[in-house]
């Protein structure tokens, strides 16, 4: 094994204990199937990929983002008054109270912090926690299936360790509102979220004019895309916004939330991406980390509710990309994995690591079309934040 692995993954099956109930969309089987697929594809067999143990985040780490009183509520949630719980976002279909809520949530936060520390300290070039990316949790409130905001906690830990420029790119179909809120007034953190627009999807935020508080103008970036945006529009938006801002900001580390609920098969949203477009975005983020973030890249999971057909394939591609062993699109899924999926879920697994999409797009420099709703969304974002970074919002 090399002294400095390309990819470090904090992992053991205890991360699957974040289980909000048998009928909840955020089913831990999606992470289980992801890790099984990556293993069967040989991603973890490479000599420069290392799996390490997971320890829960301490209260001290959680308090970098969350109110101590809220942590106490989470810890005692099973005994708390329902009305009191509802004031903190619990006792709802999205965020039910289940046994071990604090312990399982702290474990995910601990894995993301361990990954962040490994990359920042030079222990590994890249690190990933695919059970993480719980980006909706607020300082004193659970939200959108998320109890502790591991992404924000990992970023706060990086700042505590001395980072002065952290870029966070969130490609989940839902706005990364909790991470934005945590750093809305902090000029050290650039948050970029590409998501379905707030008029049609939870959490109802993420408009272009949410661009940062005084002293951090232009540091919160929101690309609010219309429903039914497909590969060509989404990739056009990504490349029109993300690379120019990352290049201008020159972060010391890139943190990516890789929610894959933007896929056409996802049951909870209305974008229409393919696995191939998601793979292309992951590869582009990897390139940006090497070009502009001293090769430091932290990958986190996020949303994704097509539990068999989408999540395992997209996130296995992410792990393989981070290991510098990208999976060719036409690769068959291993027979051993398909058998495991059938045994574990009763569903037939996809047979290929592609949806067959070319994932092509027209670049922004080729011209702005004001009649195109995707182009209007891109221009609204560029107009809101590009001047703050010394960039021209026009093509």
């Amino acid at each position: 094994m090399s002294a400095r692995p390309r990819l470090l993954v904090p992992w053991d099956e205890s991360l699957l204990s974040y289980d909000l109930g048998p009928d909840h969309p955020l089913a831990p089987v999606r992470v289980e199937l992801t890790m099984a697929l990556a293993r069967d594809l040989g991603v973890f067999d490479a000599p420069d990929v290392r799996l390490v143990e997971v320890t829960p985040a301490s209260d001290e780490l959680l308090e970098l983002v969350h109110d101590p009183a809220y942590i106490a509520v989470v810890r005692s949630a099973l005994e708390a008054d329902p009305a009191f719980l509802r004031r903190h976002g619990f006792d709802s279909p999205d965020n039910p109270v289940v046994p071990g809520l604090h312990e399982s949530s702290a474990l995910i936060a601990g894995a993301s912090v361990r990954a962040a520390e490994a990359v920042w300290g030079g222990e590994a070039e890249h690190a990933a926690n695919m059970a993480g990316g719980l980006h909706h949790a607020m300082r004193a409130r659970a939200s959108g299936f998320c109890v502790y905001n591991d992404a924000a906690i990992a970023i706060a830990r990086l700042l505590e360790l001395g980072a002065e420029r952290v870029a966070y790119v969130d490609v989940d179909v839902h706005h990364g509102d909790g991470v934005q809120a945590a750093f809305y007034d902090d000029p050290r953190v650039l948050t970029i979220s590409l998501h379905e627009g707030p008029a049609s999807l939870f959490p109802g935020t993420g408009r272009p004019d949410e661009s940062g508080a005084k002293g951090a103008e232009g540091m919160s970036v929101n690309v609010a895309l219309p429903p039914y945006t497909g590969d060509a529009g989404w990739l056009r938006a990504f490349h029109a916004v993300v690379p120019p801002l990352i290049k201008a900001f020159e972060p010391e580390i890139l943190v990516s939330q890789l929610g894959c609920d933007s896929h056409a098969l996802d049951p909870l949203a209305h974008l229409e991406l393919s696995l191939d477009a998601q793979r292309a975005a992951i590869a582009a983020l990897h390139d940006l980390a090497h070009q502009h973030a001293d090769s430091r890249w932290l990958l986190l999971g996020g949303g994704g509710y097509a539990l068999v057909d989408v999540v395992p394939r997209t996130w296995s591609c992410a792990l393989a990309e981070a290991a510098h062993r990208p999976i060719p699109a036409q690769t068959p899924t291993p027979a051993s994995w398909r058998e495991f999926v059938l045994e574990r879920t009763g569903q037939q697994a996809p047979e290929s690591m592609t949806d067959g999409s070319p994932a092509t797009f027209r670049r922004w420099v080729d011209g702005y079309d004001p009649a195109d709703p995707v182009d209007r969304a891109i221009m609204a974002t560029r107009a809101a934040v590009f001047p703050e970074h010394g960039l021209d919002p026009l093509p």
Side-chain angles (χ1 to χ4, degrees):
M1 180 180 293
S2 60
R4 182 175 184 253
R6 281 277 176 83
L7 173 63
L8 179 142
V9 183
W11 172 253
D12 69 52
E13 291 190 356
S14 60
L15 286 169
L16 302 176
S17 64
Y18 190 76
D19 187 345
L20 300 179
D23 299 319
H24 197 282
L26 194 78
V29 71
R30 69 204 186 110
V31 180
E32 182 181 5
L33 297 181
T34 295
M35 298 301 286
L37 179 55
R39 185 176 293 109
D40 287 0
L41 287 165
V43 174
F44 301 141
D45 294 336
D48 50 1
V49 174
R50 181 150 53 106
L51 273 62
V52 298
E53 66 181 13
V54 179
T55 56
S58 64
D59 282 13
E60 181 180 16
L61 282 170
L62 298 175
E63 288 171 13
L64 292 174
V65 168
H66 294 290
D67 191 293
Y70 171 70
I71 298 169
V73 168
V74 178
R75 184 176 270 113
S76 62
L78 285 176
E79 292 79 39
D81 176 72
F84 180 70
L85 285 169
R86 283 192 287 273
R87 289 200 294 273
H88 293 279
F90 291 110
D91 201 30
S92 69
D94 278 4
N95 288 95
V97 171
V98 296
L101 195 59
H102 167 78
E103 291 76 12
S104 61
S105 303
L107 199 65
I108 287 176
S112 293
V113 168
R114 174 73 175 89
E117 290 174 341
V119 175
W120 183 252
E123 182 184 353
E125 189 174 60
H126 311 321
N129 175 22
M130 305 320 295
L134 303 179
H135 61 166
H136 293 306
M138 296 293 181
R139 177 167 174 77
R141 178 170 52 85
S143 178
F145 313 160
C146 307
V147 175
Y148 294 143
N149 195 320
D150 64 287
I153 293 164
I155 293 170
R157 176 60 176 155
L158 290 167
L159 299 177
E160 187 178 58
L161 291 171
E164 296 180 351
R165 295 185 313 281
V166 179
Y168 170 80
V169 179
D170 187 322
V171 299
D172 195 290
V173 77
H174 302 92
H175 176 224
D177 57 340
V179 182
Q180 174 180 290
F183 304 106
Y184 200 66
D185 60 355
D186 194 329
R188 297 172 297 174
V189 182
L190 173 68
T191 65
I192 306 176
S193 177
L194 292 91
H195 49 267
E196 184 177 333
S200 56
L201 194 67
F202 174 90
T205 57
R207 294 171 175 82
D209 61 0
E210 298 169 35
S211 56
K214 184 176 180 180
E217 294 89 349
M219 298 304 292
S220 293
V221 181
N222 289 292
V223 187
L225 293 165
Y228 312 111
T229 298
D231 288 359
W234 194 97
L235 288 169
R236 178 169 165 82
F238 177 96
H239 285 279
V241 172
V242 178
L245 288 171
I246 296 296
K247 182 178 180 180
F249 186 56
E250 287 291 327
E252 296 165 296
I253 184 169
L254 174 62
V255 180
S256 301
Q257 198 269 20
L258 302 177
C260 54
D261 40 7
S262 57
H263 194 280
L265 293 180
D266 197 273
L268 299 189
H270 314 97
L271 297 190
E272 295 187 338
L273 270 64
S274 68
L275 168 67
D276 305 278
Q278 293 177 333
R279 179 195 288 110
I282 290 163
L285 289 166
H286 189 193
D287 288 343
L288 288 170
H290 282 284
Q291 293 169 14
H292 302 294
D294 197 26
S295 300
R296 297 185 179 115
W297 189 26
L298 171 60
L299 299 76
L300 304 173
Y305 309 99
L307 307 177
V308 171
D309 290 325
V310 176
V311 180
R313 294 190 298 159
T314 299
W315 287 354
S316 292
C317 286
L319 291 166
E321 178 69 35
H324 289 253
R325 289 175 173 80
I327 297 168
Q330 299 301 327
T331 302
T333 55
S336 57
W337 181 73
R338 295 197 301 270
E339 291 167 6
F340 176 65
V341 169
L342 185 61
E343 176 187 337
R344 183 69 181 81
T345 69
Q347 297 182 44
Q348 295 289 337
E351 296 186 358
S352 172
M353 294 296 291
T354 180
D355 288 339
S357 169
T360 54
F361 65 99
R362 189 169 62 91
R363 294 190 176 273
W364 186 251
V365 293
D366 294 337
Y368 163 56
D369 179 3
D372 184 335
V374 171
D375 275 20
R376 292 199 299 272
I378 295 168
M379 181 57 81
T381 300
R382 288 173 61 108
V385 300
F386 270 39
E388 300 292 347
H389 295 269
L391 300 172
D392 187 347
L394 295 172

